[in-house]
Amino acid sequence: AIRYLYYVSRTLLRHLTRSVSHGPIMQFKLSDIGEGIMEVVVKEWYVKEGDKVSQFDSICEVQSDKASVTITSRYDGVIRRLHYAADDTALVGKPLVDIETDTGPEVAQEEDVVETPAMSREEHTHQEIKGHKTQATPAVRRLALENNIKLSEVVGTGKDGRILKEDILNFLAKQTGAILPPSPFHETRESQRPKEVQPASLPASLPASLPARPQPVLSSQDVTEPLKGFHRAMMKTMTAALKIPHFGLCDEVDLSRLAALRSDLRGISEARGVKLSYMPFFIKAASLGLLHFPVLNASLDEASQNITYKAAHNIGLAMDTSQGLLVPNVKNVQLLSVFEIARELNRLQVLGSSGQLGTSDLTGGTFTLSNIGSIGGTYAKPVILPPEVAIGALGKIQILPRFDSNGELVKAHILNVSWSADHRVIDGATMCRFSNLWRQYLENPASMVLDLK
Ligand code: CAO
């Protein structure tokens, strides 16, 4: 009898709780963040209709123009409707999921605000811990931290001057210009991203290179498909780049000493869990050169009226990933050792290969190097990523006959570099002087030691 009573009371209680907690249906929308992003692809749902979710639970994984992002719930409640199936294209400004919330009218009122077209600003307030008076939410603080932005320098456009995520992204875009547009989502679940890759596991987990020769495709009919995700972003960025008058300069660099140095250091670096390619040296030498030619680490505003000399050397590297061309950047190279750059590069490669590069890694670049030579090719004609003003493309390192300083024929490791500079703000002489300096550092890598901090 006691068990029966217990059962009845629990059933009643559950029934009562359910009817009491019957809350309003909240439509969780993708906000319009500008930059022309109109859609994303839903890669995977982590919930189904009827599932109970709490705030910050993962709801789905989507592919924005620039990265794979996990969307998390902003409400406690029950999933009532998924507006898209996996692989569908979700539209910005349209509902993604309906959540029946546990709470009452207070939240419903907030949802009214969310319904307005200029919603993104208010949406961010949902990330806040209620009653906790802060200038910015933890997610926004984290974003600022990851991008080395002092919150005190950012003007908040939220309620009572609160700093919103879009304020940080706008600040970044103005400072350095995002290579690709920022992600339209409020909250990514950082914990799901392999943020800190343990050095010891890096060499083993580094991505295998993409197949040199894809499978042949024999088709009996034409195939037309919409440009999506990263390809769409590439189309936009490269179309904008067409406005820039490119000045091109090519040179050759004798990497024989660097090749010897790298083979000396490689084992040591790998013992410390980091694969050491040539790229960290190329990146560091570029940063040392940029200290002398800050105009190459600058950005031009959209109206071409102002040039901003960037303090940070956030050096982007074009990365060939299974999703296409991505350009993550190594932040503050001017403060990093070659080893630290290599470690960061390893991390970016691991993330890039698994489609996990996030907003902070993909935005804020100030100068770019494109190592096409790891695939092949000698010369290139690199295209500047606006609002950056210069880019270098590196060809394949080849062993070729050259004369040494004594006039003896020697086997030399030769790299060809192709630079492009925005000729509106950079003259050919500046580009050439920078290239000479970069070459000198790499031809005499010991000279880099003198200038390393
Ligand atoms: N010439 C010859 N060998 C090269 C080389 C070059 N220019 N660059 C790299 N290598 C070698 C590396 O030293 C490494 O050899 P070891 O195993 O003996 O060390 C091997 O090639 C593989 O290097 P990696 O590609 O893993 O690493 P990386 O640091 O040199 O380059 C990255 C990293 C991300 C730049 C590269 O993987 C990549 O994606 N390159 C393509 C860039 C691209 O697509 N550019 C075009 C953009 S415009 O569409």
Side-chain angles (χ1 to χ4, degrees), residues 249-253 293 296 417 419 429-441:
L249 174 85
C250 299
D251 202 357
E252 80 166 37
V253 185
F293 298 95
L296 292 164
V417 60
W419 301 105
T430 305
M431 189 70 248
C432 190
R433 288 191 182 106
F434 168 83
S435 178
N436 290 344
L437 184 54
W438 185 77
R439 178 166 50 76
Q440 282 160 25
Y441 278 127

Side-chain angles (χ1 to χ4, degrees), residues 206-207 209 234 262 266 270 275-280 282 317-321 325 345 349 369-375 394-398 415:
L206 272 175
S209 25
M234 183 163 74
R262 187 182 80 110
R266 219 171 145 178
E270 283 181 10
K275 189 190 156 209
L276 186 67
S277 65
Y278 287 100
M279 215 42 198
F282 298 155
L317 50 123
M319 196 177 271
D320 180 41
T321 74
L325 168 69
L345 192 61
Q349 275 183 283
L369 287 177
S370 172
N371 183 12
I372 191 73
S374 57
I375 302 173
L394 315 166
K396 186 179 167 62
I397 302 163
Q398 305 173 81
L415 168 88

Side-chain angles (χ1 to χ4, degrees), residues 41-45 84-88:
V41 176
V42 178
K43 281 170 74 181
E44 188 182 356
W45 285 105
Y84 300 96
D87 287 335
D88 277 0

Side-chain angles (χ1 to χ4, degrees), residues 381-395:
K381 206 175 155 196
V383 181
I384 297 165
L385 295 161
E388 291 177 27
V389 292
I391 183 170
L394 315 166

Side-chain angles (χ1 to χ4, degrees), residues 47-58:
V47 292
K48 56 185 185 314
E49 288 172 4
D51 279 0
K52 210 167 168 17
V53 287
S54 304
Q55 273 191 60
F56 303 111
D57 280 356
S58 299

Side-chain angles (χ1 to χ4, degrees), residues 58-177:
S58 299
I59 289 182
C60 63
E61 183 92 4
V62 299
Q63 181 78 64
S64 79
D65 271 6
K66 60 184 310 188
S68 191
V69 179
T70 303
I71 306 290
T72 59
S73 177
R74 284 181 288 127
Y75 310 107
D76 295 335
V78 177
I79 301 289
R80 286 297 172 219
R81 187 176 165 201
L82 307 182
H83 286 260
Y84 300 96
D87 287 335
D88 277 0
T89 298
L91 301 176
V92 163
K94 300 284 177 207
L96 182 69
V97 62
D98 291 354
I99 302 176
E100 184 184 324
T101 58
D102 292 347
T103 35
E106 194 200 329
V107 181
Q109 220 176 339
E110 286 184 47
E111 179 61 9
D112 288 341
V113 179
V114 174
E115 294 285 350
T116 64
M119 60 190 180
S120 48
R121 195 175 284 187
E122 292 301 324
E123 276 182 327
H124 287 281
T125 62
H126 292 294
Q127 306 295 335
E128 289 197 338
I129 303 159
K130 298 275 176 219
H132 188 66
K133 262 202 172 292
T134 50
Q135 239 194 319
T137 63
V140 171
R141 282 178 194 285
R142 190 174 55 223
L143 184 64
L145 192 74
E146 282 172 353
N147 287 284
N148 298 311
I149 293 173
K150 283 187 194 149
L151 282 177
S152 56
E153 290 175 5
V154 182
V155 179
T157 59
K159 215 171 160 187
D160 302 325
R162 186 178 293 123
I163 297 168
L164 310 176
K165 183 171 180 178
E166 67 208 79
D167 295 328
I168 302 284
L169 293 174
N170 285 340
F171 184 85
L172 256 180
K174 276 192 203 126
Q175 264 206 324
T176 60

